[in-house]
Amino acid sequence: MTRAWSPVETIRRKRDGLALTTEEIENIVRGYVDGRIPDYQMSALLMAIFFRGLDEREMTDLTMAMARSGDMLDFVDDARVVDKHSTGGVGDKTSLVVVPLVAAAGAVVAKMSGRGLGHSGGTIDKLESIPGFRASLGPEEFRRQVAEVGAVIAGQSGNLVPADKLIYALRDVTATVDSVGLIASSVMSKKIAGGARRLVLDVKAGRGAFMTDREAAVELARAMVAIGRKAGLGVVAVVTAMDQPLGRAVGNALEVAEAVRCLRGEGPEDLEELCLVLGSHMLTLAGLAPTPGEARERLSSVLRGGQALERFRRMVSAQGGDGRVADRPEEVLAAAPVRAEVRAERPGWVRSVDALAVGRLAMALGGGRHRKEDEVDLSVGVVLGAKVGERVAPGEVLATVHARTADQAQEAAAELAAAFDISGEPVAPPALVLETVS
Amino acid sequence: MTRAWSPVETIRRKRDGLALTTEEIENIVRGYVDGRIPDYQMSALLMAIFFRGLDEREMTDLTMAMARSGDMLDFVDDARVVDKHSTGGVGDKTSLVVVPLVAAAGAVVAKMSGRGLGHSGGTIDKLESIPGFRASLGPEEFRRQVAEVGAVIAGQSGNLVPADKLIYALRDVTATVDSVGLIASSVMSKKIAGGARRLVLDVKAGRGAFMTDREAAVELARAMVAIGRKAGLGVVAVVTAMDQPLGRAVGNALEVAEAVRCLRGEGPEDLEELCLVLGSHMLTLAGLAPTPGEARERLSSVLRGGQALERFRRMVSAQGGDGRVADRPEEVLAAAPVRAEVRAERPGWVRSVDALAVGRLAMALGGGRHRKEDEVDLSVGVVLGAKVGERVAPGEVLATVHARTADQAQEAAAELAAAFDISGEPVAPPALVLETVS
């Protein structure tokens, strides 16, 4: 007599520290999506996974079972197609720069992005601050732009990874979000179902990141690289600092303007550096450069030569956006009516700028969402006048708040001042890339 | 602004190894019974408790919150009232003996018992093999018998501990049964809601017990004693061996007959010993003897003097049962139509008799329940001819099966043979009482 498969037995096995079989994992994911496995068994299993973890084979099985729970997109079988994903940070407008940058160097990027939630922004919100820009593309339109422009950033379409949506919603209300195996499987299932075959991961670590702890971020990076490798992807993960915001602008339209400056080769330094690092891995994975070092030189010259900015303009125009944003962002993008400045009270060096505090402030100003259904004001935000390691004189502008009302601006400015820590001693500029996992 | 209490936060705190507050535990239990806390949050919390455990204060809070979720019974405020509870074993007819025994020595026992489920039997099923016996008593009837006979064994009445019923059902399907804190709280909540103020716990350890491992049984005993103490009860726990069945009879009517023999002072030795040990703690807790040693002497003389048997007859008669069972159990109790014997093939000493195997066999013969709604055949069962440490000659009866049909009897006899392990070397009789916790 063969015994019927029992979810309780699977929960017990994981609870007792055993590895689940491929079949068990497939049964769990399929059964949960079908509604045959109730929430209460899934949440008990998730908590057991929180405590016992998942090994690389289990994570890969979970990733693939979730990826296969809905549509599996498949792009042209082109070795130049490469994707990029960030775990989310404050002021992270990297995609806006790196996608046209690597496309201008010969790679093809068909990127699906999300909207912001909580203190970290979303690429789609940022792009939508460009008048006319459409993030929602039909499959044919999407394909055509990939072929013609080699660069597209669109919202997620189709029924991608319903298992992840269901499981994530359950994790959120059962305190089982913070599990490396579950996070890694969730991210990778979405990338794999979205058709990614070559992928560069930007895993943020620090105050403004999902993983505040560097070791945890490295563990997550290793887990995702292991899953990618086992699933047959080309994959590199870069663990990068997210203690202070990336670049100087935080807020949707403000970040687009900064991305345009960066595409013109005008920095800010950390943003450009990160785009070159991530882009060089992307170019190498796409087979367009023999090493990241050579890829970087090529990207650097593409950036200085204006081809990256040009590709950005073409991408934006192809999606209905006002291409003049590439020339005069300040004229094209909506500006907030009120500004307030935070100034240094005493001389010194910036020791830290709390990315989480800045991200929360930008959200509180109306630039982000507490809940999925919230409306976003694309014009508001914060622009930093000083970053970690920079010297400031008394009265110098530390940051500027862009707000809807004077009251909001004043209140935000007062809170923003507390996000800065000024030292009497010189402070070394912090490292941006903490670790590379491949 | 005071933050509203959040179940997710409570799950997270337990997940992270923190002790829950009294208020959190009350909120969880009340919210779960009310349906405000969904199953999926409760099961995640139960799994977190499985991994992190509960300290004594948390266990006591959980016990009291569960006990208060339904009716709280309260008997006459009489210091002589004492209760006894066993975690369940095979052949455990102790209550049938010890309740009239201590009542005959002056204590008052108003015991609520359950029906059997799985391989371990239930006291109510056993008593119902006596023609006419009623386990279901009205509150007035119950009270009167307590006052007049000083001994009653009845089924559970009223809405006792609904929280435990709900939580236990959830634990059963989420692999969160095996948690000392949850088991201890479950048992103690039922005893406290049932009105127990003085309690002797028989915690079984071994093959035929819920806790197969002695250390785990001791841990459970300690947990229950700690809860009892914090809740203001007089409580003693005795950890006893349940590797082989207790006594020789396993099966409802067969066990009643054995209990009657024991009440006559005719053994079996281990059953009498356990009744004297548990009874002496009960008598001491009831303030009727200064020490368990003196209590034991008193109980021994009550047993030899026939007062215990007489009290059994009065208890059975008061509940409508045929009191002649105390004189001629074989005539009064239903007998199974077919018998089959298991005989020793070679000489030796009994090294072990697998209590779990014997319990399962008795259940398979129709004497127990797989599910709550199953009907029970009160006449079937197994009687051991030899116990651990006893010498057997070839052809000697190791056990007798009492069955409904010849086929069942033959099949059971063949399986029963495998439950015996015969050694070529002498085997010492095993210890019965493994540890006393008070």
Side-chain angles (χ1 to χ4, degrees):
Chain A
M1 198 178 83
T2 33
R3 258 172 81 222
W5 171 73
S6 142
V8 191
E9 197 48 40
T10 293
I11 301 169
R12 189 189 324 274
R13 282 165 39 73
K14 177 47 67 184
R15 184 198 80 180
D16 293 345
L18 302 172
L20 303 182
T21 66
T22 302
E23 197 190 352
E24 274 180 304
I25 291 171
E26 284 169 357
N27 282 342
I28 284 283
V29 172
R30 203 176 309 125
Y32 188 56
V33 172
D34 290 353
R36 278 176 294 120
I37 292 175
D39 288 338
Y40 57 79
Q41 289 188 320
M42 193 65 181
S43 65
L45 178 62
L46 291 169
M47 188 58 86
I49 289 173
F50 175 88
F51 281 98
R52 294 296 194 174
L54 295 171
D55 67 25
E56 292 182 358
R57 201 262 311 143
E58 290 175 288
M59 283 193 275
T60 309
D61 286 341
L62 178 58
T63 299
M64 296 312 295
M66 292 204 295
R68 292 191 192 108
S69 69
D71 299 343
M72 294 279 279
L73 304 189
D74 208 356
F75 297 116
V76 244
D77 186 17
D78 186 333
R80 295 171 308 159
V81 177
V82 61
D83 202 354
K84 171 258 166 188
H85 179 84
S86 157
T87 59
V90 176
D92 184 9
K93 67 285 288 177
T94 314
S95 291
L96 272 56
V97 178
V98 84
V99 170
L101 174 62
V102 298
V108 175
V109 191
K111 183 160 172 47
M112 275 179 303
S113 284
R115 292 180 190 279
L117 188 61
H119 71 272
S120 67
T123 300
I124 295 299
D125 291 328
K126 292 170 195 179
L127 282 167
E128 284 182 344
S129 67
I130 303 169
F133 188 89
R134 288 182 304 112
S136 179
L137 302 179
E140 201 31 62
E141 213 175 0
F142 190 90
R143 237 174 283 267
R144 195 170 53 232
Q145 186 174 335
V146 170
E148 291 174 4
V149 186
V152 54
I153 302 179
Q156 196 186 300
S157 65
N159 177 31
L160 284 193
V161 206
D164 179 65
K165 287 194 189 78
L166 291 167
I167 294 171
Y168 192 88
L170 187 63
R171 285 165 61 201
D172 197 37
V173 293
T174 55
T176 50
V177 167
D178 318 322
S179 153
V180 165
L182 296 176
I183 297 167
S185 304
S186 171
V187 170
M188 295 303 286
S189 70
K190 285 182 280 193
K191 300 315 286 184
I192 289 171
R197 304 296 300 149
R198 282 158 292 275
L199 178 63
V200 175
L201 295 157
D202 180 8
V203 182
K204 306 282 193 193
R207 277 292 289 168
F210 185 68
M211 293 287 183
T212 51
D213 180 60
R214 177 177 170 162
E215 276 67 47
V218 171
E219 196 190 344
L220 176 60
R222 291 208 179 111
M224 292 194 291
V225 168
I227 293 170
R229 187 127 323 143
K230 279 187 185 281
L233 270 68
V235 57
V236 174
V238 184
V239 179
T240 67
M242 184 29 75
D243 291 302
Q244 64 175 338
L246 183 67
R248 292 174 182 263
V250 178
N252 297 291
L254 296 168
E255 292 190 40
V256 171
E258 183 168 79
V260 168
R261 279 194 295 282
C262 186
L263 283 160
R264 281 185 196 146
E266 294 167 11
E269 202 184 318
D270 60 345
L271 175 60
E272 180 180 311
E273 173 64 18
L274 185 58
C275 291
L276 290 174
V277 167
L278 298 176
S280 63
H281 287 298
M282 290 170 81
L283 224 55
T284 312
L285 281 181
L288 295 164
T291 65
E294 290 176 62
R296 186 187 169 112
E297 276 180 37
R298 177 113 159 263
L299 291 173
S300 213
S301 93
V302 160
L303 194 68
R304 308 290 158 212
Q307 297 101 307
L309 181 67
E310 195 45 42
R311 193 62 65 120
F312 175 74
R313 186 202 317 272
R314 279 175 60 197
M315 179 182 83
V316 167
S317 302
Q319 293 184 245
D322 188 340
R324 291 174 304 170
V325 72
D327 309 309
R328 296 176 299 278
E330 290 74 13
E331 289 176 29
V332 171
L333 299 165
V338 185
R339 296 185 188 193
E341 286 168 344
V342 180
R343 290 176 185 275
E345 293 180 353
R346 51 193 182 85
W349 287 263
V350 179
R351 181 153 40 202
S352 66
V353 186
D354 182 341
L356 181 61
V358 175
R360 284 187 174 155
L361 254 176
M363 182 168 67
L365 285 166
R369 292 181 188 81
H370 290 275
R371 288 170 307 180
K372 277 186 189 170
E373 54 278 16
D374 291 346
E375 284 268 342
V376 166
D377 183 336
L378 299 166
S379 68
V380 301
V382 171
V383 176
L384 305 182
K387 295 205 42 163
V388 176
E390 292 179 11
R391 185 169 191 170
V392 291
E396 198 174 318
V397 174
L398 293 177
T400 308
V401 175
H402 296 241
R404 274 185 292 226
T405 68
D407 280 0
Q408 282 182 339
Q410 287 313 320
E411 199 180 323
E415 283 183 43
L416 195 52
F420 281 83
D421 183 16
I422 308 295
S423 159
E425 303 290 317
V427 173
L432 180 64
V433 173
L434 305 175
E435 196 135 349
T436 304
V437 181
S438 62
Chain B
M1 197 180 83
T2 33
R3 259 173 80 223
W5 171 72
S6 142
V8 192
E9 199 48 40
T10 294
I11 301 170
R12 191 190 323 274
R13 281 164 40 73
K14 178 44 70 182
R15 184 197 79 179
D16 293 344
L18 302 172
L20 302 182
T21 66
T22 302
E23 196 190 352
E24 274 181 302
I25 291 171
E26 283 169 358
N27 282 341
I28 283 282
V29 171
R30 202 175 309 124
Y32 188 55
V33 172
D34 289 355
R36 278 175 294 121
I37 292 175
D39 287 338
Y40 56 79
Q41 289 187 320
M42 193 65 182
S43 66
L45 178 62
L46 292 169
M47 187 58 87
I49 290 173
F50 175 89
F51 281 99
R52 295 295 194 176
L54 296 171
D55 67 24
E56 292 181 359
R57 200 263 310 143
E58 289 176 286
M59 284 192 275
T60 309
D61 286 340
L62 178 58
T63 299
M64 295 313 294
M66 292 204 294
R68 292 191 191 108
S69 68
D71 300 342
M72 295 279 278
L73 303 189
D74 207 355
F75 298 116
V76 245
D77 187 17
D78 186 334
R80 296 170 308 156
V81 176
V82 61
D83 202 354
K84 171 257 163 188
H85 178 83
S86 157
T87 60
V90 176
D92 184 9
K93 68 285 289 177
T94 314
S95 291
L96 272 58
V97 178
V98 84
V99 170
L101 174 63
V102 299
V108 175
V109 191
K111 183 162 172 47
M112 276 179 302
S113 284
R115 293 180 188 279
L117 189 61
H119 71 273
S120 67
T123 299
I124 296 299
D125 292 327
K126 291 169 196 179
L127 282 166
E128 285 184 343
S129 67
I130 303 168
F133 187 89
R134 288 182 305 111
S136 179
L137 301 179
E140 201 30 63
E141 213 176 1
F142 190 90
R143 238 174 280 267
R144 196 171 51 234
Q145 187 174 334
V146 170
E148 290 175 4
V149 187
V152 53
I153 302 179
Q156 200 189 87
S157 65
N159 177 31
L160 284 192
V161 206
D164 179 66
K165 287 191 188 83
L166 290 168
I167 294 171
Y168 192 89
L170 187 63
R171 286 166 60 200
D172 196 36
V173 292
T174 55
T176 50
V177 167
D178 318 322
S179 154
V180 164
L182 296 176
I183 297 167
S185 304
S186 170
V187 170
M188 294 303 285
S189 70
K190 285 183 279 193
K191 300 315 287 184
I192 289 171
R197 305 295 300 148
R198 282 157 290 276
L199 177 64
V200 175
L201 294 157
D202 179 9
V203 182
K204 306 283 193 190
R207 277 291 289 168
F210 184 69
M211 293 286 183
T212 51
D213 180 60
R214 177 177 168 162
E215 275 69 45
V218 171
E219 196 190 344
L220 176 61
R222 292 208 177 111
M224 293 194 290
V225 168
I227 293 170
R229 185 125 327 140
K230 280 188 184 280
L233 270 66
V235 56
V236 174
V238 185
V239 180
T240 67
M242 184 29 74
D243 292 302
Q244 63 175 338
L246 183 68
R248 293 174 181 262
V250 179
N252 297 291
L254 296 167
E255 293 190 41
V256 171
E258 184 168 80
V260 169
R261 279 194 295 280
C262 187
L263 284 160
R264 281 185 196 145
E266 296 167 11
E269 204 184 317
D270 59 346
L271 175 61
E272 181 180 311
E273 173 62 19
L274 183 59
C275 292
L276 290 174
V277 167
L278 298 175
S280 62
H281 287 297
M282 291 170 80
L283 223 56
T284 312
L285 282 181
L288 295 164
T291 66
E294 289 175 63
R296 185 187 170 113
E297 274 178 38
R298 175 112 160 265
L299 290 173
S300 212
S301 95
V302 159
L303 195 66
R304 309 292 157 212
Q307 299 101 304
L309 182 66
E310 195 46 39
R311 191 64 63 122
F312 175 74
R313 185 204 316 275
R314 279 176 61 198
M315 177 180 85
V316 167
S317 302
Q319 293 185 243
D322 188 339
R324 292 173 304 168
V325 72
D327 309 308
R328 296 177 298 279
E330 290 73 14
E331 289 176 27
V332 171
L333 298 165
V338 185
R339 296 185 188 193
E341 286 167 344
V342 180
R343 290 173 186 277
E345 292 181 356
R346 53 195 181 82
W349 288 263
V350 179
R351 180 155 39 202
S352 67
V353 186
D354 182 342
L356 180 62
V358 174
R360 285 187 173 155
L361 253 175
M363 182 168 68
L365 285 166
R369 293 181 187 80
H370 291 274
R371 288 170 309 180
K372 278 186 188 169
E373 55 277 16
D374 291 347
E375 285 267 342
V376 166
D377 183 335
L378 300 166
S379 69
V380 300
V382 170
V383 176
L384 305 181
K387 294 204 43 164
V388 176
E390 292 180 11
R391 184 167 192 171
V392 291
E396 198 174 318
V397 174
L398 293 176
T400 307
V401 174
H402 296 241
R404 274 186 292 227
T405 68
D407 280 0
Q408 282 181 338
Q410 287 313 321
E411 200 181 321
E415 285 181 42
L416 195 53
F420 282 83
D421 181 18
I422 308 295
S423 158
E425 303 290 319
V427 173
L432 180 63
V433 173
L434 305 175
E435 195 133 351
T436 303
V437 181
S438 63

